[in-house]
Amino acid sequence: MNRRLAALANVHGVSTWYEDWRHRRVEVAPETVVGVLGLLGVDATSPAAVADALAAARAVDGAALPPTVVLAHGTSRALPGPGVVSLEDGGRRAVDGELPGDLPLGWHRLACAGRDVTLVVVPRRLPVPPRTWGWMLQLYALSSQRSWGLGDFGDLAEFTGWAGDNGAGLVLLNPLHAVGPAHPVATSPYSPASRRFVNPLYLRVSDTGAYRAADPATRAVVDALRPDRGELIDYDEVWAAKRHALELLYPYAQPVDLAADPALTTFATWCALAERHGNDWRAWPAELHHPDAPAVAEQRRQLADRVALHAWLQHLCDEQLDAVTAAARAAGMPVGVVHDLAVGIDPGGADGWQLADVLAQGVRVGAPPDDFNQLGQDWGLAAWRPDRLAETGYAAYRDMLRRTLRHADGLRVDHVAGLWRLWWVPPGAGAAEGTYVRYDADAMLGILALEAHRAGAVVVGEDLGTVQPAVTRGLRGRNMLGSTVLWFARDDDGGFVPPSRWPRNALATISTHDLPTAPGFLTGEHVRVRDELKLLGTDVAVERARAANDRERLVEMLRDEALLPSPAESASTDGPARPDDGDVVEAMHAALAASPARLLGVSLYDVLGEVRQPNMPGTVDEYPNWRLPLPASLAQIREDPRVARVADLLTTARPRSGPARSAAAQPAAAQPATGSARPADD
C-alpha cells in the first residue's frame, strides 16, 4: 500500500487492513481503497490527486471545531475562544473558552471561532435495565380469527397484554419498517424501503375508525376480502387484499394534515410514485430522481389522492402501535415492546431517495469472509456517509431514531458494530473485495443514548460474531445491553459454557432468526435442510456427526448444571438414555433462567416445537424465508401447556419487583436529565 494513499485512507476512516475471524492480518487491495474513497467523494486515482486530497483533508482535520460537537453530560470541552450556545429550548449561554459540564441534554447550536456548528449534549449512560424476561416474536407469524393471512397490530396488542398478564416483561419484535407498495412485496424485514416509517401490511383493517364509520354494505365488502391463512405466508395476497379494503374505507377517513409533517409527505409521495413506476427509484425517469425536482412536485399534484392515502396509512400505523404500547403498560411490563432496527436500507427505496445526500451512492454493505461465509457477505444495503452525517448535524440519523422510538419501550440495534465501522463493498466488486469504513462511535452511540433516554427506552445491541472489544465496552459503559446466544456460548474446546458464566450485561436467548430453532438443532434439521439446499461446505456425514456431538455436549452441560435429570440406566444400553427432545428444550430455557443476563428472550418457535428456522442465510427463493407461520394460533398459544410451563419457569426466576412500567411511562425528556445513572455490572 502506497504510504500517501494509506495516510489519506486513514484520515477518511477507510481501513487498509483488517483482522479476520482467525485473528490474521488481511491487507486490503489498493484498488478497493481507491474505490471506497471515491464513494466518499475523494479522488485518489493518481499520485497527484492523492497528494491534493491529503493536503485538503489535513486542513479540514486541523480546523478549530468539527462540524458537529458531541459532549457527554457532566464533562467539559476546551474551545478555541469565547462563544455562545443557543439552547434547544430557546435560551442562550455565553461560554468563555470551554463548554461547561452543566449544559442540558439536547440539540443545541454553538457559535465560536467564526463557525456555527451543531452541539449535541448526550447522557453518559442510560438507567440500568431491569432484570426480566419476554417473548421474541416474528409478528407476521402470528394468526388469529381476526387477522388477514399474517399477524397484525391487533394480534400484537392482544398477545402483548396476555404476555404481560402472565409474567413477561417485554416483547421483542422483528423490524416493522416500511417496504415498497408495488408488487412483488418484499418479505425480508431487514431490507426495508424506509427505517423511518412503518409497514402498513401489519394494519388490522377492522380496527380503524374508517371501518367503524363505514356503512354496513361497505363493511361487508371489506370483510369478504379477508384472505385465508395458508401453509406459507403470501405477502402479495395479503397486501392486495388490505390495500383494496383500505381504499374502500378511505372515503370514511379523517383527513391528514400533510403540511404538519414534511418528511411524511415526501415518504407518501415516494409511495405514490412507486405504485406507478416500481419500488426502485433508480429505475424511474431521470427527472424524478430527486424529491425536490419540479417533476416530482407536478407528480405529487397529479397523485394527490394517493399521496394522502399513504400518509393516512402511516397515521393508522401510529394509532394501532399506540394501542400496543398501551397494552404493555396496562399489563405492567417493566420494559414493554422492543422494536428492531435494521442495519441498513434498500438503496432503491424511500430512504435511499429522500436521504440520498447523506448516503454513499453505490456502496453495498456486507461482511468480510468468515468461517461460515468464506466468500464474504453482500447484504445489498445502503450506508450512511460518515462525513455527511457530521456535516448535517446527524439530523437524518436522529430523526430515524426518533420515529422508531415513538412506539418503542426498547430498541434492538441489528449489527450494532456498524455504529463503529461497516464493511463497504464498492461497485463492481465481490463481497470479499471490500473494506471497513469507520464512523464516529462516540457520536453515533451518544445520539442513540440521548434519543433512547428521551423515549425512556432500553437499548440492546446485536454484537454477535467477530466484533471489536470496543463495541462491547462501549455498550456496557452506557448501560446498553449486548447479546448472548446459547449456540455461541462455547469454550475454546467447543463445549457449552454454563449459564452462570454468561455475561450480565446482555439479552440472552437460545437462538436467533438466522439460526436453527431449539427443536431443529436437537433433531438435526439444520443439517438436513442445508444438505438439501446444497449449502454445506463439507460432507453431510461430517456435518451430521458434528451436530450429534453438539447435541451430546449440550445435554452434558445441562446435566452438569442439574438443569436436566441424570440419565436412567437400563440393561439394554451401555450408556445414558437419550433424553426426550421436549425435556431438553425446557432445560435450555432453564439455562436462560439460571443465567445472570439482565434480559431473557424466548422464541415461540422453540417452545411450540417448530423445527424450521425463520430465515436461512445464503438463500433467497430456495427457502421460505420470513414466510413460516407459527404452528399454533394466538388462541392455541394461550392454552398450550408448553408455553405455560416456560412462562412459569421464567417468571419464577425473574419475578417482578419495584414499580411497573405503567407507573413510569412518562417520556424521559420530562425528567431531570443528569445522565449519571450507575453503570451496569458486567
Side-chain angles (χ1 to χ4, degrees), residues 170 204 525:
L170 64 94
R204 174 169 285 182
E525 172 68 9

Side-chain angles (χ1 to χ4, degrees), residues 50 104 275 367 384 448 503 515 526 556 618:
V50 169
E275 287 181 317
W384 301 115
L448 173 59
L515 295 172
H526 57 303
E556 179 183 15

Side-chain angles (χ1 to χ4, degrees), residues 439-461:
Y439 292 79
D440 185 338
D442 287 338
M444 300 291 281
L445 212 58
I447 292 168
L448 173 59
L450 173 60
E451 297 305 322
H453 168 82
R454 290 183 157 184
V458 302
V459 174
V460 177

Side-chain angles (χ1 to χ4, degrees), residues 280-540:
D280 189 341
W281 66 268
R282 296 168 298 182
W284 296 355
E287 63 269 19
L288 301 178
H289 283 192
H290 197 283
D292 296 330
V296 171
E298 174 59 23
Q299 289 280 294
R300 184 183 295 117
R301 185 189 64 79
Q302 294 180 18
L303 299 171
D305 286 346
R306 300 306 295 179
V307 172
L309 170 70
H310 287 287
W312 174 61
L313 296 183
Q314 290 302 308
H315 275 255
L316 294 181
C317 290
D318 288 342
E319 290 175 358
Q320 295 192 7
L321 283 171
D322 284 343
V324 172
T325 303
R329 292 175 178 173
M333 284 186 162
V335 174
V337 181
V338 181
H339 286 242
D340 198 348
L341 180 68
V343 65
I345 55 166
D346 177 354
D351 285 358
W353 185 64
Q354 191 168 352
L355 305 177
D357 290 346
V358 292
L359 298 173
Q361 298 302 315
V363 72
R364 306 186 316 280
V365 172
D370 59 29
D371 193 24
F372 300 100
N373 300 277
Q374 297 185 9
L375 298 178
Q377 298 179 65
D378 180 352
W379 302 330
L381 302 175
W384 301 115
R385 271 185 58 166
D387 56 334
R388 293 293 296 146
L389 280 180
E391 290 164 8
T392 55
Y394 290 87
Y397 176 60
R398 173 199 64 200
D399 294 346
M400 177 196 70
L401 293 173
R402 282 184 180 175
R403 287 188 180 271
T404 303
L405 287 165
R406 281 193 304 177
H407 307 293
D409 302 307
L411 189 65
R412 175 191 179 271
V413 182
D414 190 46
H415 190 63
V416 73
L419 302 183
W420 279 259
R421 64 178 188 174
L422 275 175
W423 182 259
W424 284 24
V425 181
E433 299 169 323
T435 189
Y436 284 110
V437 174
R438 186 172 65 248
Y439 292 79
D440 185 338
D442 287 338
M444 300 291 281
L445 212 58
I447 292 168
L448 173 59
L450 173 60
E451 297 305 322
H453 168 82
R454 290 183 157 184
V458 302
V459 174
V460 177
E462 187 271 294
D463 59 345
L464 302 173
T466 304
V467 300
Q468 297 173 303
V471 174
T472 302
R473 290 196 304 268
L475 294 174
R476 184 174 63 238
R478 290 171 174 81
N479 285 341
M480 299 176 180
L481 303 184
S483 299
T484 294
V485 175
L486 173 63
W487 299 151
F488 297 149
R490 308 286 189 109
D491 57 28
D492 292 340
D493 295 326
F496 287 87
V497 173
S500 60
R501 290 167 49 192
W502 295 2
R504 184 185 305 273
N505 194 57
L507 164 70
T509 64
I510 289 174
S511 188
T512 76
H513 54 258
D514 289 333
L515 295 172
T517 65
F521 172 83
L522 295 175
T523 60
E525 172 68 9
H526 57 303
V527 177
R528 186 201 67 77
V529 71
R530 282 174 171 79
D531 177 47
E532 182 180 290
L533 297 173
K534 310 300 182 187
L535 294 176
L536 294 178
T538 57
D539 183 83
V540 64

Side-chain angles (χ1 to χ4, degrees), residues 61-75:
D61 195 45
L65 285 175
T68 297
V69 175
V70 178
L71 182 71
H73 186 271
T75 64

Side-chain angles (χ1 to χ4, degrees), residues 165-178:
D165 290 340
N166 287 272
L170 64 94
V171 173
L172 172 60
L173 300 171
N174 58 283
L176 304 181
H177 306 317

